[in-house]
């Protein structure tokens, strides 16, 4: 195993050579969903981004412990410290137990991730299952002198921490600007400073989810769970912490402060953040009416969609852009992604049907494809460049299947192996051989049977039957092409 992977470390703002703390073991923690509603496109991007990283690290030979949390308590509506717990609110409105809400939406999240071919993490801890550990973590911060009690709640003392450590190093903020720009909210008078954040909140009588603690009957602050669970499962120092760019401040900034205060040192060596998804140039959000769930994409039931989109189209759409770039969604962009995926799938299927020749033609350029794709992935997971290399190889594949070029058995085996590795194993795109749509074997068999009948009709010079089958299939949306070896088709 060679250490050649460059990843952009948000903390240092530059690409760095990835060197695991305990090679070949890698510890990776990614902020998962708050399960009070259906997963949407914004949830899909970090899931697919860090699934790709997970896949590629394993491809490089690392043994990865991938931890992705489930936030099921402590995520408040207005900011990190005030407002009603989102899950508790959903439970109250629907007259359910909070854990019913959690179970329902966690199950739906898992189904959506499975459809997107996102591999399950090694460990998926719930915040509500680690209350004792979070209380112990708060005690460490208090003992270190960086937290205080106020009316049964515990707050992190940001200005005191900033005198000894660098608060704001991840997001690039300084403490003076943060103090100036922090708005005052109702109910925050118990804080010493407006920038202080809650480690433990005393529960109000109407609050559904609460636990006993040395300070009050209450619940943990939102930031606390990630510091607690990441270090519990990955150790006091671990390799990678990932999440969306929207979590950089305040969530990840507060994580750094908490962990440093409790442990005396920072925990994370590489911070990685995927950029945002916008819709027609606007930030995606319920208040703007442009909020589209993954289920709505899969069924085409949202008013902004003209059709349903397969999960692999969504995955391909996200992988077409570098994870650190903004992705602007529009129905037109998704239609283009669908066409691009169909072309890639058609190329993959054509490749499976190629028969080797004695030598590779000079006009076939497939040598070095594996190396080019590896180099792009090693350069901070540059998936759009990988996809462009696959489309470049498609030109040679089309020449071969059109009878205008040949390829040797050795080169063909290498080409098939590279496509299988890159498309399926690393990019995680489910492309099945047989047709562009990736439909099941029975469906493929039925179409192939019709085309075999047409082929026999042509051999018997039964042009009427041959043309009838071709025209009927065309009317249903099938493209049929006669080749020197028989035929090929796509939908």
């Amino acid at each position: 195993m060679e250490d050649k992977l460059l990843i952009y470390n948000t903390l240092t703002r530059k690409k760095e050579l990835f060197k695991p703390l305990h090679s070949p073991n890698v510890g990776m923690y990614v902020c998962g969903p708050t399960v009070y509603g259906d997963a949407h496109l914004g949830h899909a991007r970090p899931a697919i981004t860090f699934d790709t990283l997970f896949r590629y690290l394993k491809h490089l030979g690392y043994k990865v412990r991938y931890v992705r949390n489930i936030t099921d308590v402590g995520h408040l509506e207005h900011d990190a410290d005030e407002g009603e717990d989102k899950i508790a609110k959903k439970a109250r409105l629907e007259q359910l137990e909070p854990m019913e809400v959690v179970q329902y939406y966690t199950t739906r999240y898992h189904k959506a991730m499975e459809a997107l071919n996102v591999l399950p993490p090694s460990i998926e801890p719930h915040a509500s299952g680690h209350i004792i550990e979070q209380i112990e973590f708060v005690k460490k911060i208090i003992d270190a002198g960086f937290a205080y009690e106020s009316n049964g709640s515990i707050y992190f003392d940001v200005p005191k921490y900033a005198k000894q450590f660098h608060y704001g190093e991840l997001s690039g903020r300084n403490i003076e600007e943060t103090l100036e720009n922090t708005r005052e909210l109702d109910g925050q008078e118990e804080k010493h400073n407006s920038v202080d954040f809650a480690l433990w909140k005393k529960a109000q009588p109407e609050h559904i989810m609460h636990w006993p603690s040395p300070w009050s009957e209450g619940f943990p602050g939102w930031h606390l769970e990630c510091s607690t669970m990441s270090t519990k499962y990955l150790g006091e120092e671990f390799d990678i912490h990932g999440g969306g760019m929207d979590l950089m401040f305040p969530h990840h900034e507060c994580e750094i402060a908490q962990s440093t205060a409790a442990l005396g040192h920072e925990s994370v060596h590489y911070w990685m953040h995927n950029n945002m998804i916008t819709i027609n140039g606007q930030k995606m959000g319920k208040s703007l009416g442009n909020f589209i769930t993954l289920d709505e994409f899969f069924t085409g039931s949202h008013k902004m969609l003209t059709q349903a989109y397969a999960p692999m189209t969504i995955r391909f759409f996200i992988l077409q852009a570098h994870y650190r770039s903004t992705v602007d969604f529009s129905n037109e962009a998704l239609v283009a992604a669908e066409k691009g995926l169909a072309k890639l799938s058609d190329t993959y299927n054509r490749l499976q049907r190629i028969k080797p020749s004695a030598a590779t033609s000079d006009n076939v350029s497939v040598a070095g494809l594996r190396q080019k794709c590896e180099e792009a992935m090693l350069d901070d997971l540059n998936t759009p460049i990988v996809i462009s290399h696959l489309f470049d190889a498609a030109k040679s594949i089309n020449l071969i299947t059109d009878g205008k070029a040949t390829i040797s058995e050795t080169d063909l085996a290498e080409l098939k192996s590279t496509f299988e590795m890159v498309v399926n194993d690393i990019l995680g795109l489910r492309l099945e051989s047989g047709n562009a749509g990736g439909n099941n074997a029975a469906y493929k068999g039925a179409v192939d049977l019709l085309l075999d009948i047409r082929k026999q009709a042509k051999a018997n010079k039964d042009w009427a039957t041959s043309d009838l089958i071709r025209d009927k299939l065309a009317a249903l949306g099938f493209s049929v092409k006669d080749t020197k070896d028989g035929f090929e088709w796509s939908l």
Side-chain angles (χ1 to χ4, degrees), residues 209-367:
M209 303 171 76
H210 51 83
W211 292 265
S213 80
W215 317 288
S216 65
E217 186 78 13
F219 56 94
W222 169 38
H223 311 309
L224 185 65
E225 64 182 89
C226 289
S227 289
T228 303
M229 295 190 293
S230 63
T231 53
K232 174 182 173 63
Y233 292 109
L234 299 175
E236 288 192 2
E237 291 185 67
F238 59 94
D239 297 300
I240 299 170
H241 193 316
M245 195 169 285
D246 56 321
L247 297 177
M248 194 183 304
F249 187 89
H251 185 51
H252 290 161
E253 201 73 77
C254 293
E255 273 193 64
I256 292 176
Q258 290 169 160
S259 297
T260 303
L263 306 173
H265 56 80
E266 293 188 18
S267 296
V268 181
H269 282 220
Y270 301 88
W271 284 92
M272 297 181 68
H273 292 88
N274 64 272
N275 214 321
M276 306 296 292
I277 291 182
T278 57
I279 295 184
N280 295 325
Q282 291 182 307
K283 183 180 178 180
M284 183 171 57
K286 289 182 179 178
S287 60
L288 296 174
N290 61 4
F291 185 89
I292 307 177
T293 68
L294 291 175
D295 190 58
E296 288 170 330
F297 277 109
F298 300 159
T299 60
S301 58
H302 194 278
K303 62 183 180 181
M304 291 183 65
L305 302 174
T306 58
Q307 64 179 78
Y309 293 98
M312 286 303 97
T313 299
I314 302 297
R315 186 174 181 109
F316 184 75
F317 169 70
I318 289 173
L319 290 172
Q320 276 185 306
H322 191 270
Y323 77 90
R324 288 193 286 113
S325 66
T326 302
V327 173
D328 187 51
F329 162 81
S330 65
N331 196 76
E332 293 75 17
L334 213 51
V335 168
E338 184 178 60
K339 291 179 179 178
L341 180 63
K343 288 180 180 178
L344 183 62
S345 187
D346 185 49
T347 297
Y348 180 80
N349 296 323
R350 281 179 165 222
L351 177 60
Q352 309 311 311
R353 293 192 291 269
I354 291 177
K355 294 179 181 178
S357 299
T360 300
S361 302
D362 292 337
N363 60 343
V364 170
S365 177
V366 294

Side-chain angles (χ1 to χ4, degrees), residues 122 195 223 321 356 469:
S122 314
V195 293
H223 311 309
I469 294 173

Side-chain angles (χ1 to χ4, degrees), residues 26-40:
V26 173
M28 182 169 78
Y29 185 92
V30 175
C31 290
T34 305
V35 284
Y36 71 99
D38 277 332
H40 53 76

Side-chain angles (χ1 to χ4, degrees), residues 138 142 147-150 152-156 197-201 215:
V138 173
I142 293 173
Y148 58 88
E149 181 178 356
S150 180
S153 294
I154 305 296
Y155 290 96
F156 190 92
F197 57 89
L199 298 171
W200 184 266
K201 287 287 290 183
W215 317 288

Side-chain angles (χ1 to χ4, degrees), residues 77 84 86-96 208:
E77 285 196 295
E84 189 172 2
K86 294 179 179 180
I87 291 171
K89 181 180 181 180
K90 190 87 170 181
R92 177 175 55 79
L93 291 175
E94 299 185 11
Q95 297 184 323
L96 298 170
I208 304 174

